[in-house]
Amino acid sequence: MFVDRTPFVTVNVKYDVDVTVVGAGPVGLLLAGELALAGASVQILERLAEPDKAMKAGAINVPTAEALDRRGLLPEAEKVQRELFERVGSFAGTTAGRAAREPRFTGHFAGIVLDPGLVDWSDPDLAAHTAVDGARMVPQPELEALLAGHVARLGVPVHRGIEVTALQDTGDEVLLGTTAGPMRTGWLVGCDGGRSTVRRLAGIGFPGTDPELTGHLAVADIADPEKLANGWAWSPQGAYRHGPQPGRVVTVEFDGAVADRRAPVTLDEVQASLRRVSGTDVTLTALHGNATRWSDNARQAAAYRQGRVLLAGDAAHVHSPFGGQGLNLGAGDAMNLGWKLGAVVAGWAPEGLLDTYDDERRPLGAWVLDWTRAQIGVLRGDAKSAALREVVADLLSTGAGATYAVKKISGVTQRVDLPGAHPLTGRYAPDLWLADGSRLVDHGHGGGFLLLDRTADARLAPRAAAWGDRVNSVTDAHGTPAGLLVRPDGVVAWAVDADADFDSDSAAVAGLEAALHRWAGTP
């Protein structure tokens, strides 16, 4: 593997751990937590001395909220949403007040806000995932704080102010050069953003499409907010959004990528952009927090894994933030990779398990890139794009169109291509309430696999007894699905209905045992 400049003469083993995660954003924190639950020793190296306060994602999708739920973090996320709605409710009078009380979160496509009143909430895909409705509006800074507390409770150290300068994969470990001195680690995971140092040092390509727009996101004091429309508005110069939080503004200008995205975003820069796209002389008097600048650069790593070096989150894929897919895509990476790499460290991983990380996450990453590219085509200010926007808006104003888009944005239709004919196989496990009043997810806070046994004589649980250190069997009253094997990332690996044959030599039992061997290794 590629070796950078720093020589490895002597290696200081002060940070000798199974896995080093580079990047203390939501993806790195979530991944480190999963690794710790799997029994791996893990550390996080972060370039920034303090948590990044820049404005980024404002919400999470269903799979991300369910990932928090699976680890017992749902109450904290629900608290964040309640507090956010209290702030939003004071903005723009009764309209925002109604939105703050609205339990259904829809989102938007290219600035076309989806009307929750049009959505068929009885659709089976949506109805199966409602337990986390109260924890969807979780902005990224609050999510990072929540996850920082989670990894702290698990004993994961976060070393701030340290940059990685070199790496060498020896085949048995990864040697690191850092600004704190040489280190060594069993595995290295780059969760260090779109300009990933880990990806660059590993020599992993990053093909994709170049940017054509500059976007800004800021919270500002506005002297004359009445000059701006509430919500999204378009013009030949671009688009902007005012709200939903007081003073929050987003601008989009199709002027190509800025020369230096790392330069601090100034009040004058945001005001000038907002004036251009709104066609007003609106005046901003102050910025709150760190405003951000972004583009529609869309790229995907040529490989998510190269030897003992792996990538997750923006280090593996970048795109515009439209639809809020980036943070959620990275969270899915972390949940998928965490238990698999943990299994490798623990020594029980079936052959090829780690390779399934790239196999399973790459197609979803490619879809998200195209989903965001499509929105850029609708957002442009030219006449053809404006005409297309009218057509798309018309489609999204129908019940079928709004329901389709909400299902895609919320993530409830995500599926991994796994063997098995049952419709739940490869999908995220639905909300399942048990006869004792608990939910299935309540039994998985410590990680590991979950086996739900609802057969009349509890015939399935004994089949998983040999995997007792990896599989938590939960018996419940007779019902359907009668059996469900859920991986630690929430994906259903095997499922069967109540009308199946559960004799010892039946196809249902053979299917369960095959899934256990495939995913949980040798008992």
Side-chain angles (χ1 to χ4, degrees):
M1 182 175 286
F2 181 88
V3 182
D4 200 33
R5 300 171 297 279
T6 304
F8 296 95
V9 180
T10 59
V11 177
N12 182 345
V13 267
K14 131 175 150 175
Y15 295 108
D16 200 357
V17 294
D18 295 324
V19 184
T20 295
V21 175
V22 181
V27 176
L29 291 167
L30 189 57
L31 173 62
E34 292 302 288
L35 289 164
L37 287 172
S41 61
V42 56
Q43 67 173 352
I44 301 176
L45 304 182
E46 169 56 51
R47 175 180 59 86
L48 298 177
E50 299 291 339
D52 187 1
K53 299 299 184 183
M55 293 189 63
K56 294 181 181 177
I60 58 178
N61 69 1
V62 169
T64 301
E66 289 182 339
L68 300 179
D69 191 14
R70 280 194 294 277
R71 299 301 173 251
L73 302 173
L74 184 63
E76 293 181 61
E78 290 173 333
K79 182 174 183 289
V80 170
Q81 176 165 305
R82 286 194 302 270
E83 293 173 348
L84 176 65
F85 277 174
E86 289 174 3
R87 297 194 298 272
V88 173
S90 65
F91 179 64
T94 57
T95 300
R98 284 195 298 271
R101 294 190 297 272
E102 174 57 61
R104 302 295 192 182
F105 174 69
T106 54
H108 70 90
F109 183 89
I112 303 168
V113 177
L114 301 164
D115 184 351
L118 295 173
V119 178
D120 178 11
W121 298 105
S122 67
D123 181 284
D125 289 327
L126 293 169
H129 299 273
T130 61
V132 296
D133 277 353
R136 296 282 310 285
M137 297 296 289
V138 180
Q140 184 164 330
E142 285 81 354
L143 179 62
E144 287 189 20
L146 186 158
L147 292 173
H150 175 57
V151 299
R153 290 188 293 272
L154 292 171
V156 176
V158 180
H159 303 293
R160 290 191 166 275
I162 297 178
E163 294 189 55
V164 174
T165 60
L167 68 85
Q168 178 184 5
D169 183 350
T170 70
D172 298 315
E173 63 183 356
V174 180
L175 305 179
L176 293 177
T178 80
T179 53
M183 302 180 189
R184 64 195 243 189
T185 184
W187 297 83
L188 179 69
V189 186
C191 301
D192 51 340
R195 293 183 286 270
S196 170
T197 297
V198 171
R199 186 186 65 238
R200 176 177 59 82
L201 293 177
I204 298 174
F206 205 39
T209 53
D210 294 332
E212 57 180 287
L213 65 79
T214 300
H216 293 90
L217 172 61
V219 173
D221 289 336
I222 306 175
D224 39 12
E226 69 278 0
K227 293 182 177 179
L228 301 175
N230 287 334
W232 282 93
W234 295 266
S235 73
Q237 286 69 41
Y240 75 94
R241 182 186 185 186
H242 181 210
Q245 295 104 307
R248 182 181 185 272
V249 291
V250 179
T251 67
V252 178
E253 295 183 86
F254 287 88
D255 57 356
V258 294
D260 183 8
R261 285 188 56 201
R262 293 179 182 269
V265 179
T266 66
L267 175 68
D268 288 344
E269 179 183 347
V270 176
Q271 178 176 271
S273 178
L274 186 57
R275 286 181 172 183
R276 285 191 294 268
V277 296
S278 68
T280 72
D281 59 353
V282 63
T283 299
L284 309 185
T285 58
L287 292 182
H288 296 281
N290 297 326
T292 56
R293 185 191 299 111
W294 45 271
S295 75
D296 60 324
N297 185 34
R299 300 183 181 280
Q300 189 173 31
Y304 284 19
R305 177 195 174 193
Q306 185 165 289
R308 288 179 169 265
V309 179
L310 299 107
L311 304 174
D314 287 352
H317 37 70
V318 295
H319 50 82
S320 77
F322 292 117
Q325 298 293 329
L327 166 61
N328 297 299
L329 184 59
D333 293 344
M335 295 300 294
N336 188 290
L337 175 59
W339 72 272
K340 294 174 180 177
L341 184 53
V344 172
V345 170
W348 60 260
E351 183 176 354
L353 179 66
L354 201 52
D355 292 331
T356 66
Y357 168 58
D358 191 304
D359 294 340
E360 293 180 359
R361 296 303 298 174
R362 176 172 297 279
L364 183 57
W367 173 82
V368 167
L369 262 65
D370 282 342
W371 181 261
T372 58
R373 287 184 180 117
Q375 294 180 74
I376 301 305
V378 175
L379 268 170
R380 293 190 188 102
D382 61 274
K384 292 179 180 178
S385 295
L388 175 61
R389 186 162 57 247
E390 290 297 320
V391 172
V392 173
D394 192 37
L395 290 171
L396 295 180
S397 69
T398 67
T403 301
Y404 168 84
V406 167
K407 287 168 63 172
K408 290 292 188 180
I409 292 170
S410 67
V412 297
T413 59
Q414 291 181 14
R415 185 180 186 278
V416 175
D417 187 14
L418 300 183
H422 196 281
L424 285 178
T425 302
R427 303 287 290 270
Y428 284 108
D431 300 330
L432 290 173
W433 280 262
L434 308 183
D436 63 1
S438 68
R439 294 181 298 136
L440 180 62
V441 71
D442 296 332
H443 299 268
H445 291 174
F449 292 81
L450 285 174
L451 174 63
L452 175 64
D453 185 350
R454 283 176 160 172
T455 60
D457 302 316
R459 296 188 181 186
L460 298 177
R463 296 290 172 178
W467 287 269
D469 59 333
R470 301 166 214 163
V471 181
N472 181 19
S473 295
V474 180
T475 57
D476 189 35
H478 183 57
T480 197
L484 209 65
L485 179 64
V486 183
R487 301 188 326 191
D489 57 357
V491 172
V492 176
W494 168 88
V496 69
D497 289 327
D499 57 358
D501 178 4
F502 297 105
D503 289 339
S504 59
D505 59 350
S506 68
V509 171
L512 170 60
E513 292 182 343
L516 286 166
H517 279 282
R518 174 183 174 89
W519 298 112
T522 303

